[in-house]
């Protein structure tokens, strides 16, 4: 049974929610599910904007069939070849044998790689600068390389001012019947999952996101239709402002994120005491135990906060594994322009501080506050003064 919604009278959302997925891309927890969006334009030509993940293919095909209302599907327009959107292309071309595929040359190569089918007679290559008339609607194309794969190409319907933004402006979380961002209190309910989605999926590619934002600034955009999450039809500027911050690695807040890795609680104790001292000085603190909180949540807060404290014990002559993984994750996402403080622990040879700095050494515009605090097993008598000094230095920097 179909489950569709109208974006506009002739533009129908034909996607689906997946609430059974435990890890998106096998790594990002999605406790509130995820949506795979696809849109069908009913003009003189019918054009389907992307397909969906295999997990929801049945609902998707029922939706497409219903929305077509007995018409032929003339074109599939691909904006991104990642299988959460393109997995179902193989089934689609079998079900709709006359459908033509609008895509760019990089997508054509990937179609061959994924589907091993001869699609040469069915491909219509388009590129940035081209326009394509569907009848009343005219589409143009905007290259968006690395947002978040190299082949990504957004499209813009100048007739109704609709930007099909691919992965950009998406979020984790099922739609749950809503389609438009203004059908919920977006900035209270969903900004966190939008931040976690952006920072983990495209956070590495800030300069490329900035380039696309510059190109899109010349368009008269009335609707934004991403491949995950809500369609925007009003108040998009506030969300765009977040993208400007995230993609330029500008902190959203003057605040401290403390992430700690502690085996028996002594490193945690030092982190807790520092948090208290910061709070007493009027500094906002966000805190994560790296053994409990998924790395994607901590990466997200690392993009959010201006100051980061990493506290970890030494383990097997290295950094405790959950902190080591987190720091490699942060380094892989190219986080920049942060003030960092380090707390290390080690009962006989504390080296985690030096090693944590080494993992982060490739990041740009990083400044360290203080030389770091070293625990030998546990905070020693009189060592509280070192945490006071660190809290003073961080608070002075923030306030
Ligand atoms: Fe939602 Fe990059 O795929």
């Amino acid at each position: 049974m179909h489950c569709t919604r109208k974006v506009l009278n002739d533009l129908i959302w034909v996607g689906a929610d997946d609430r059974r997925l435990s890890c998106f891309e096998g790594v990002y927890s999605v406790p509130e599910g995820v949506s795979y969006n696809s849109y069908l334009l009913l003009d003189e030509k019918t054009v389907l904007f992307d397909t969906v993940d295999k997990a929801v293919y049945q609902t998707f095909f029922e939706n497409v069939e219903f929305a077509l209302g007995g018409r032929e599907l003339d074109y599939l327009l691909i904006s991104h070849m990642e299988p959460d959107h393109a997995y179902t292309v193989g089934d689609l071309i079998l079900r709709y044998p006359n459908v033509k595929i609008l895509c760019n040359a990089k997508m054509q190569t990937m179609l061959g790689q994924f589907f091993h089918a001869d699609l040469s007679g069915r491909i219509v290559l388009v590129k940035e600068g081209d326009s394509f008339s569907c009848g009343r609607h005219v589409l143009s194309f905007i290259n968006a390389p690395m947002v978040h794969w190299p082949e990504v190409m957004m499209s813009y319907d100048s007739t109704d001012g609709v930007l099909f933004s691919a992965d950009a402006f998406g979020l984790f979380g099922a739609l749950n019947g809503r389609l438009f961002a203004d059908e919920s209190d977006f900035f209270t309910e969903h900004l966190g999952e939008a931040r976690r989605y952006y920072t983990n999926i495209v956070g590495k590619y800030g300069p490329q996101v900035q380039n696309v934002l510059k190109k899109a600034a010349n368009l008269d955009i009335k609707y934004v239709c991403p491949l995950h999450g809500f369609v925007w039809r009003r108040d998009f500027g506030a969300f765009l402002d977040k993208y400007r911050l995230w993609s330029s690695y500008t902190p959203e807040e003057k605040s401290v994120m403390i992430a700690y890795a502690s085996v028996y609680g002594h490193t945690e104790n030092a982190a807790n005491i520092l948090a208290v001292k910061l709070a007493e000085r009027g500094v906002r603190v966000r805190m994560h135990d790296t053994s409990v909180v998924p790395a994607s949540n901590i990466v997200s807060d690392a993009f959010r906060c201006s100051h980061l404290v990493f506290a970890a014990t030494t383990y097997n002559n290295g950094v405790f594994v959950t902190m080591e993984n987190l720091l490699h994750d942060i380094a892989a996402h190219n986080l920049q322009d942060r003030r960092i403080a380090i707390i290390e622990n080690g009962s006989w040879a504390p080296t985690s501080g030096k090693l944590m700095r080494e993992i982060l050494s490739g990041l740009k515009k990083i400044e360290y506050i203080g030389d770091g605090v070293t625990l030998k097993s546990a905070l020693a008598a009189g060592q509280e003064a070192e945490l006071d000094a660190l809290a003073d230095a961080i608070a002075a920097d923030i306030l």
Side-chain angles (χ1 to χ4, degrees), residues 3-5 12-16 38-40 48 52 59-60 63-64 67:
C3 180
T4 64
R5 278 200 66 180
I12 318 295
W13 175 83
V14 291
S38 169
Y39 306 91
L40 180 67
L48 183 68
V52 295
T59 305
F60 165 70
N63 287 348
V64 172

Side-chain angles (χ1 to χ4, degrees), residues 8 10 43 135-139 156-162 222:
L8 293 161
D10 54 1
D43 201 345
R136 190 174 78 85
H137 296 262
V138 178
L139 302 175
Y156 174 66
D157 171 5
S158 56
T159 307
D160 284 340
V162 183
K222 297 189 176 74

Side-chain angles (χ1 to χ4, degrees), residues 37-52:
N37 295 340
S38 169
Y39 306 91
L40 180 67
L41 180 67
L42 298 167
D43 201 345
E44 287 172 25
K45 301 289 184 192
T46 57
V47 182
L48 183 68
F49 293 77
D50 294 286
T51 67
V52 295

Side-chain angles (χ1 to χ4, degrees), residues 34-195:
V34 66
S35 78
Y36 303 108
N37 295 340
S38 169
Y39 306 91
L40 180 67
L41 180 67
L42 298 167
D43 201 345
E44 287 172 25
K45 301 289 184 192
T46 57
V47 182
L48 183 68
F49 293 77
D50 294 286
T51 67
V52 295
D53 187 83
K54 63 181 182 297
V56 295
Y57 83 97
Q58 193 167 352
T59 305
F60 165 70
F61 281 119
E62 286 171 3
N63 287 348
V64 172
E65 189 180 341
F66 170 79
L68 280 169
R71 293 184 62 184
E72 279 279 315
L73 179 60
D74 297 311
Y75 291 97
L76 166 68
L77 171 54
I78 297 177
S79 65
H80 185 13
M81 277 301 299
E82 194 165 14
D84 54 332
H85 311 294
Y87 194 97
T88 319
V89 169
D91 274 2
L92 188 93
I93 57 182
L94 293 176
R95 288 172 187 245
Y96 296 94
N98 297 321
V99 69
K100 294 230 168 11
I101 301 174
L102 287 162
C103 66
N104 62 30
K106 286 181 180 148
M107 292 169 185
Q108 184 178 25
T109 302
M110 289 186 182
L111 281 167
Q113 292 169 186
F114 276 114
F115 297 108
H116 313 292
D118 179 12
L119 299 171
S120 47
R122 309 177 67 165
I123 299 269
V124 179
L125 285 178
V126 291
K127 59 184 186 308
E128 188 170 276
D130 289 353
S131 61
F132 181 83
S133 174
C134 314
R136 190 174 78 85
H137 296 262
V138 178
L139 302 175
S140 57
F141 309 99
I142 303 150
N143 290 336
M146 303 320 296
V147 188
H148 102 272
W149 276 18
E151 86 295 357
V152 170
M153 184 179 69
M154 298 180 182
S155 45
Y156 174 66
D157 171 5
S158 56
T159 307
D160 284 340
V162 183
L163 178 70
F164 296 90
S165 63
D167 270 341
F169 308 115
L171 77 166
F172 294 132
L175 295 176
N176 299 338
R178 301 156 302 192
L179 178 61
F180 298 100
D182 55 82
E183 292 175 324
S184 64
D185 186 347
F186 180 86
F187 289 94
T188 303
E189 294 177 37
H190 303 292
L191 183 63
E193 286 297 76
R195 181 189 297 107

